[in-house]
Amino acid sequence: MKHDMSAMADPLDLTHRRAPENLGDRLAFGMCKSLRFIADKFFAKRYGHRAIVLETVAAIPGMVGGMLTHLKALRVLGRDRGWIKTLLDEAENERMHLMTFLAVAQPSLLERFVILLAQGVFFNAFFLVYVFWPRVAHRFVGYIEEEAVYSYTQYLAEIDAGRIENVAAPKIAIDYWNLSADARLRDVVIVVREDEAGHRDVNHGFADALARGERSVEPIRDPARD
Amino acid sequence: MKHDMSAMADPLDLTHRRAPENLGDRLAFGMCKSLRFIADKFFAKRYGHRAIVLETVAAIPGMVGGMLTHLKALRVLGRDRGWIKTLLDEAENERMHLMTFLAVAQPSLLERFVILLAQGVFFNAFFLVYVFWPRVAHRFVGYIEEEAVYSYTQYLAEIDAGRIENVAAPKIAIDYWNLSADARLRDVVIVVREDEAGHRDVNHGFADALARGERSVEPIRDPARD
């Protein structure tokens, strides 16, 4: 699949924002906005560095959700409905974003320390939220991805204004997204933003499914007893 | 890929047994043999039930190893060398074994309880071993898979002796391994055993790589500093 940037006039609704509908949603929304506030203070307009640090965190929820759903499928002897693969793929995709932006910028020593600290705190916090309130966890990721779409849109604006240099796309990004050989940073940010919009919709969708009472894993019933 | 059973005269060395070479290996070997002893007492020759309970456990190490390697790649800002995908694929493959054998036999209430208990204990124990001694963890899985190959060979012998009915292969197995439409349980056990032999070699190989001082994740160096 070749991405043709010129023909691609935002096929996804990149401005989509979901309003919180209940207590769980508002909790998720509050957590998300608090993290955004901290990130804004810490990074300001250093979008390249912001991307590196935040992608080390963004790659955690999919792995936690995928692992917990896998363990649940083993425990209750049931089939997941494609959730495990979807979530693990999300984690891998976010890790590829990280590898990509590492080829563009190098984190400072302070940022490396923040990465360690953030992983230690966020992995455990998200794990607990997912164990007890998976719906809130997926809603939280949905909101976080809305913010990611917003931040990458700002990143694009900085590139377009010439305040961030539109360097050549790193090879790893050209290979991963199958970009043209002369692709630039701008093209990379566009496909990354598209990925985040996809994760946003998937996670809001999973939260909606759980809110409707659907289950991520359906136990396989004994055919003899049916 | 179609599996042609008649032409497939054990392309893998299914009898391969690795001798422990050092203290870590002996520790892994001892843990493995202790678990085998317990499983032999509990299941005796009920191979269908044995497969169900043990596959709920066998699907854990790949997920733990994949997750911890993923977190390490995010933390140290490095590239894994395909380890994450290999380990997560192993976990998915073992879960498919479980789904397959669930279509053949149904666990008893006691077995369901053992599954819950085993997951609670084994997940945490394996997690800790992997965090502190990943080499021992992979060696342990290598030995466990040697036992799995042995057990599935015994399962085959019981089928061939007519003591276990060679029922039709479940649809999920025919789809997953692309077996012929008239495949039987025997064909399924053969491909499952082949999978386990593959995991055995991969995990012994990872243990060997770590013993040689190789790393699962190589930090990406700053190209400007190289």
Side-chain angles (χ1 to χ4, degrees):
Chain A
M1 180 191 57
K2 198 92 180 167
H3 281 281
D4 180 358
M5 296 307 155
S6 57
M8 201 173 70
D10 280 350
L12 295 155
D13 177 6
L14 292 173
T15 58
H16 181 75
R17 293 269 185 179
R18 241 189 105 107
E21 283 170 10
N22 52 45
L23 183 65
D25 286 5
R26 274 190 289 273
L27 215 75
F29 193 75
M31 288 191 289
C32 170
K33 286 294 181 184
S34 310
L35 290 183
R36 159 123 223 147
F37 179 80
I38 297 171
D40 281 346
K41 290 290 159 209
F42 189 76
F43 296 105
K45 295 202 164 218
R46 293 154 55 240
Y47 289 104
H49 288 249
R50 181 183 191 120
I52 289 172
V53 176
L54 292 190
E55 294 291 2
T56 71
V57 171
I60 290 175
M63 182 54 68
V64 170
M67 176 188 65
L68 288 174
T69 310
H70 175 75
L71 290 178
K72 188 175 178 187
L74 304 174
R75 216 162 52 223
V76 308
L77 306 175
R79 283 199 213 174
D80 75 304
R81 301 141 72 211
W83 284 42
I84 300 170
K85 190 173 163 36
T86 302
L87 290 168
L88 295 180
D89 283 353
E90 175 191 304
E92 189 192 20
N93 177 256
E94 302 284 16
R95 194 176 74 246
M96 290 305 297
H97 293 175
L98 171 64
M99 298 300 133
T100 293
F101 288 114
L102 277 175
V104 177
Q106 287 285 320
S108 67
L109 216 63
L110 172 63
E111 283 163 354
R112 282 177 180 269
F113 175 73
V114 167
I115 286 168
L116 290 185
L117 192 75
Q119 181 172 115
V121 173
F122 184 70
F123 177 87
N124 289 291
F126 190 83
F127 184 99
L128 283 179
V129 172
Y130 202 98
V131 166
F132 292 107
W133 308 283
R135 178 174 61 80
V136 176
H138 283 297
R139 186 67 74 206
F140 168 75
V141 177
Y143 289 135
I144 283 284
E145 298 290 12
E146 289 180 9
E147 299 299 331
V149 168
Y150 180 78
S151 294
Y152 282 119
T153 303
Q154 289 182 310
Y155 197 171
L156 281 180
E158 293 296 300
I159 294 171
D160 290 343
R163 284 187 293 268
I164 291 176
E165 196 191 339
N166 191 17
V167 295
K171 186 179 175 310
I172 187 172
I174 291 173
D175 293 345
Y176 183 64
W177 283 281
N178 204 8
L179 303 173
S180 64
D182 59 351
R184 316 292 301 178
L185 178 58
R186 187 179 198 286
D187 305 317
V188 174
V189 174
I190 286 175
V191 286
V192 167
R193 184 178 62 165
E194 208 180 303
D195 287 349
E196 306 295 17
H199 301 321
R200 173 198 66 196
D201 296 341
V202 163
N203 279 280
H204 277 320
F206 281 2
D208 291 343
L210 293 172
R212 283 194 302 273
E214 292 176 24
R215 287 187 287 189
S216 55
V217 175
E218 279 299 332
I220 295 176
R221 306 275 286 283
D222 183 347
R225 265 182 274 157
D226 277 355
Chain B
M1 182 191 56
K2 197 93 180 166
H3 281 282
D4 179 358
M5 297 306 155
S6 58
M8 202 173 69
D10 280 351
L12 296 156
D13 177 6
L14 291 174
T15 59
H16 182 76
R17 292 271 185 178
R18 241 189 106 108
E21 283 169 12
N22 52 44
L23 183 65
D25 286 5
R26 274 191 289 276
L27 214 76
F29 192 74
M31 287 191 289
C32 170
K33 285 294 180 183
S34 310
L35 290 182
R36 158 122 222 148
F37 179 80
I38 297 171
D40 281 347
K41 291 290 160 209
F42 189 77
F43 296 106
K45 294 201 164 218
R46 293 155 55 240
Y47 289 104
H49 288 250
R50 182 183 191 119
I52 289 171
V53 176
L54 292 190
E55 295 290 3
T56 70
V57 171
I60 290 175
M63 183 54 68
V64 170
M67 176 188 65
L68 289 175
T69 309
H70 174 76
L71 290 178
K72 189 175 175 185
L74 302 176
R75 217 163 51 222
V76 307
L77 306 176
R79 284 200 214 174
D80 75 306
R81 303 140 73 212
W83 284 43
I84 299 170
K85 188 172 163 39
T86 302
L87 291 168
L88 295 180
D89 284 353
E90 175 190 306
E92 188 192 21
N93 178 256
E94 302 286 14
R95 195 177 72 244
M96 289 307 295
H97 293 174
L98 170 64
M99 298 299 133
T100 293
F101 288 114
L102 277 174
V104 177
Q106 286 285 320
S108 68
L109 216 63
L110 172 63
E111 285 162 353
R112 283 177 180 268
F113 176 72
V114 168
I115 286 167
L116 290 185
L117 193 73
Q119 180 171 116
V121 173
F122 184 70
F123 177 87
N124 290 291
F126 189 82
F127 184 99
L128 284 179
V129 172
Y130 202 98
V131 166
F132 292 106
W133 309 283
R135 179 175 62 81
V136 175
H138 283 298
R139 186 68 75 206
F140 168 76
V141 177
Y143 289 135
I144 283 284
E145 298 290 13
E146 289 180 8
E147 299 300 331
V149 168
Y150 181 78
S151 293
Y152 282 119
T153 303
Q154 289 182 310
Y155 195 171
L156 281 180
E158 293 295 301
I159 293 170
D160 289 343
R163 283 189 293 269
I164 290 175
E165 197 189 339
N166 191 17
V167 296
K171 187 180 174 309
I172 186 172
I174 292 172
D175 293 344
Y176 183 65
W177 283 282
N178 204 8
L179 302 173
S180 64
D182 60 350
R184 316 292 301 178
L185 177 58
R186 188 178 196 287
D187 305 318
V188 174
V189 174
I190 287 176
V191 287
V192 168
R193 185 179 61 165
E194 208 181 304
D195 287 349
E196 307 292 17
H199 301 322
R200 174 199 65 196
D201 296 341
V202 163
N203 279 279
H204 277 321
F206 282 2
D208 291 343
L210 293 172
R212 283 194 302 273
E214 292 176 24
R215 287 188 284 189
S216 56
V217 174
E218 279 300 330
I220 295 176
R221 305 273 287 284
D222 183 346
R225 265 182 275 159
D226 277 353

